[in-house]
């Protein structure tokens, strides 16, 4: 039965429709969210049906007369950090079977990889083999040439400069710890690779907490949305699969700095993020689009220039001392075949065509596939730019960033499963809807387990067979792609109809916007209806979105307040 929502909620939504937010807090303040009254923050158990149902297990939604914000210890930030810490621990436990040790032939301990352990348990990660293959225990610098016991030259790290330096630093800490443990006998002395993985996991876990804190501080009125990236199945599966948490945290810090109009610091963190992984450079796409729309190009130029200088500060020493080893990361990405779970690989497997997946000759890149990917990426960026300039109301920065990264992942030939972590903090800021985000993450977890079982084998050395065929994980890969496309459609829908955007319903224009927040339009493109002759509604006009009506949706006590038109 439809009933009216509380007047405060209707007022907030009306401000979202008309584009007139309450007076903005100074974005340069140390923590703008700290100035908010506890009752100005959105309560998910009131507004999200999934959270409301989940809250029944702990006594139900927050009471309307509850004393909010009175506890000095259990603040939203600290609770989210505790939740993230718990799931990071689950993530380490999920990978721990791959660092189990057993007695070797000569009485020394070695890693126990018997009985398809890394595939059956799903504990496979790139950290353990990287330590063993690339000689991190003996390298004197991240890209130094090193040799195997038989004198064979080992390949340099196929990682970007900052990530390689981070791995090398973890290896040095591991070596120092093992020397102390062996010398004193007072500390446990595991295998060096096991210690390396654990020290790396601890470091990455702390860095992820930094990403959580940065994202929560951006969220302003919706701090509890950050729990989406804390209670994440994707975090359990992929937190320690590789080193992707490092660029994720640096990009989150860049977005936090930008949201507070600290353009120089945003550039510093962005440059470091790109030095750790290439994808954060996509942050420049929404920045340029919104700079064109608002006419505020100077802050974007400052951030871009600072990012270039920060990137050079990290990369230039390696470029000058060992350019071949430094460039291996970039050459590998150009030369490699499509990863197993990409659309390109699934298409080739199901169609039987090898046009896009054939092995190139040594030193030769798959030129056709690279060209197709490059053209599609350009088209995707142009479409996102057009959306950002043609929407009736200026999109939020996080919305455009989510669309850009999601489009990149769908198009690229190197969507490694752990890359999906990139979307987590962006989804919190762009699309804070619990149910679709949890369904997408569960699909990612299922995809990983099926992929691991596909790599597992049975039979003797003369005849080995995969534990399962490739079709189950390829089917789930397509389901995952469909879910990501669904999330993109939801974001686009809320861009075109801001009355449905829960962030703007809460009263904020754009928590991630920084200098773009509440900025008037200087440039806009005609929308598709305008191109077809149907005209364009001015973004500040209430007629653009109408007056939303709120329904009480649910059965019995399970009701939530949600907008409808």
């Amino acid at each position: 039965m439809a009933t009216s929502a509380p007047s405060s909620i209707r007022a907030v939504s009306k401000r979202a429709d008309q584009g007139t937010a309450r007076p903005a807090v100074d974005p340069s303040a140390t923590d703008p969210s700290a100035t908010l009254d506890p009752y100005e923050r959105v309560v998910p158990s009131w507004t999200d049906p999934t959270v409301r149902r989940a809250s029944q297990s702990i006594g139900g939604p927050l009471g309307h007369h509850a004393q909010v914000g009175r506890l000095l210890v259990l603040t939203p930030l600290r609770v989210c950090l505790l939740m993230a810490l718990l799931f990071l621990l689950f993530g380490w436990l999920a990978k721990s079977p791959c660092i189990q040790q057993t007695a070797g032939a000569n009485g020394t301990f070695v890693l126990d990889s018997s009985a398809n352990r890394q595939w059956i348990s799903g504990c496979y990660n790139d950290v353990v083999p990287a330590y063993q293959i690339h000689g991190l225990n003996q390298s004197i610098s991240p890209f130094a040439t090193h040799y195997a016991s038989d004198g064979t030259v080992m390949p340099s790290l196929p990682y970007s400069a900052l990530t390689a330096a981070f791995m090398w630093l973890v290896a040095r800490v591991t070596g120092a710890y093992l020397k102390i443990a062996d010398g004193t006998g007072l500390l446990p002395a595991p295998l060096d690779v096991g210690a390396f993985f654990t020290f790396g996991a601890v470091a990455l876990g702390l860095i992820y907490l930094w990403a959580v804190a940065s994202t929560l501080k951006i969220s302003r009125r919706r701090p509890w949305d950050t729990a989406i990236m804390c209670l994440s199945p994707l975090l359990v599966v992929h937190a320690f699969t590789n080193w992707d948490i490092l660029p994720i945290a640096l990009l989150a810090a860049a977005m936090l700095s930008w949201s507070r109009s600290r353009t120089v610091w945003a550039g510093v963190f962005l440059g470091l993020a790109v030095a750790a992984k290439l994808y954060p450079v996509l942050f420049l796409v929404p920045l340029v689009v919104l700079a064109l729309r608002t006419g505020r190009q100077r802050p974007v130029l400052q951030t871009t220039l600072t990012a270039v200088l920060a990137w050079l500060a990290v990369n230039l020493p390696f470029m000058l001392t060992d350019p071949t080893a430094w460039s291996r990361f970039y050459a590998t990405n150009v030369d490699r075949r499509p990863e197993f779970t990409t659309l390109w690989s699934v298409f080739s497997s199901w169609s039987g065509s090898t046009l896009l997946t054939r092995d190139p000759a040594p030193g030769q890149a798959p030129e056709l596939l690279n060209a197709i990917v490059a053209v599609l990426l350009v088209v995707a960026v142009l479409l996102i730019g057009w959306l950002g300039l043609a929407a009736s109301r200026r999109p939020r920065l996080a919305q455009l960033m989510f669309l850009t990264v999601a489009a990149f992942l769908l198009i690229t030939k190197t969507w490694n499963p752990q890359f999906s972590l990139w979307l987590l903090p962006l989804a919190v800021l762009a699309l804070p809807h619990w149910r679709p985000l949890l369904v997408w993450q569960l699909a990612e977890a299922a995809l990983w387990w099926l992929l691991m079982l596909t790599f597992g084998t049975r039979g003797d050395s003369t005849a080995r067979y995969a534990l399962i065929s490739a079709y189950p994980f390829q089917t789930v890969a397509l389901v995952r792609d469909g879910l990501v496309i669904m999330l993109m459609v939801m974001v686009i829908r809320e861009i075109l109809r801001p009355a449905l955007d829960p962030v703007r319903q809460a009263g904020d224009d754009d928590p991630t916007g920084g200098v773009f927040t509440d900025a008037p339009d200087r440039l806009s493109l005609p929308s598709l209806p305008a191109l077809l002759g149907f005209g364009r509604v001015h973004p500040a006009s209430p007629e653009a979105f109408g007056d939303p009506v709120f329904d009480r949706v649910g059965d019995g006590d399970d009701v939530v307040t949600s907008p409808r038109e």
Side-chain angles (χ1 to χ4, degrees), residues 368-385:
L368 176 61
L369 179 57
N370 287 348
I372 294 174
V373 169
V375 170
L376 290 178
L377 285 176
V378 171
V379 171
V381 168
L382 292 177
L383 289 175
I384 292 170

Side-chain angles (χ1 to χ4, degrees), residues 363-435:
Q364 182 180 359
E367 296 178 355
L368 176 61
L369 179 57
N370 287 348
I372 294 174
V373 169
V375 170
L376 290 178
L377 285 176
V378 171
V379 171
V381 168
L382 292 177
L383 289 175
I384 292 170
W386 174 75
L387 176 65
L389 294 174
S392 296
R393 183 174 178 185
R394 173 180 47 78
R396 293 187 289 110
L397 178 63
Q399 290 174 320
L400 294 181
M401 184 59 179
F402 179 87
L403 292 177
T404 304
V405 176
F408 173 79
L409 288 174
L410 287 167
I411 294 171
T412 185
K413 62 178 182 175
T414 55
W415 189 348
N416 292 329
Q418 70 273 9
F419 288 0
S420 298
L421 282 170
W422 301 352
L423 291 173
L424 264 182
L426 301 177
V428 168
L429 299 172
L431 192 69
H433 297 284
W434 283 71
R435 183 179 301 171

Side-chain angles (χ1 to χ4, degrees), residues 16 42 70 86 96 110 119 156 218 251 313 328 347 401 527-528:
V42 175
R70 300 298 179 90
L86 178 63
S96 62
V110 296
W119 312 126
S156 58
I218 298 173
L251 179 58
R328 186 166 183 261
F347 166 78
M401 184 59 179
S527 62
L528 183 59

Side-chain angles (χ1 to χ4, degrees), residues 213-215 217-218 251-262:
S214 298
T215 305
K217 291 179 180 180
I218 298 173
L251 179 58
M255 295 184 70
L256 175 61
S257 298
W258 180 266
S259 72
R260 296 180 176 180
S261 300
R262 296 175 178 175

Side-chain angles (χ1 to χ4, degrees), residues 27-84:
S28 64
T30 302
D31 185 2
S33 62
T35 64
L36 293 174
D37 185 273
Y39 291 98
E40 293 183 287
R41 300 190 180 110
V42 175
V43 179
S45 60
W46 292 356
T47 60
D48 190 285
T50 302
V51 179
R52 183 178 184 91
R53 292 187 181 97
S55 70
Q56 300 295 337
S57 61
I58 56 174
L62 183 73
H64 287 277
H65 301 287
Q67 294 185 341
V68 182
R70 300 298 179 90
L71 294 178
L72 299 178
V73 177
L74 294 179
T75 62
L77 174 59
R78 291 171 182 169
V79 172
C80 285
L81 292 177
L82 287 173
M83 291 189 293

Side-chain angles (χ1 to χ4, degrees), residues 241-256:
T241 298
N242 207 300
W243 306 90
D244 293 82
I245 282 178
L246 179 60
I248 288 171
L250 289 169
L251 179 58
M255 295 184 70
L256 175 61

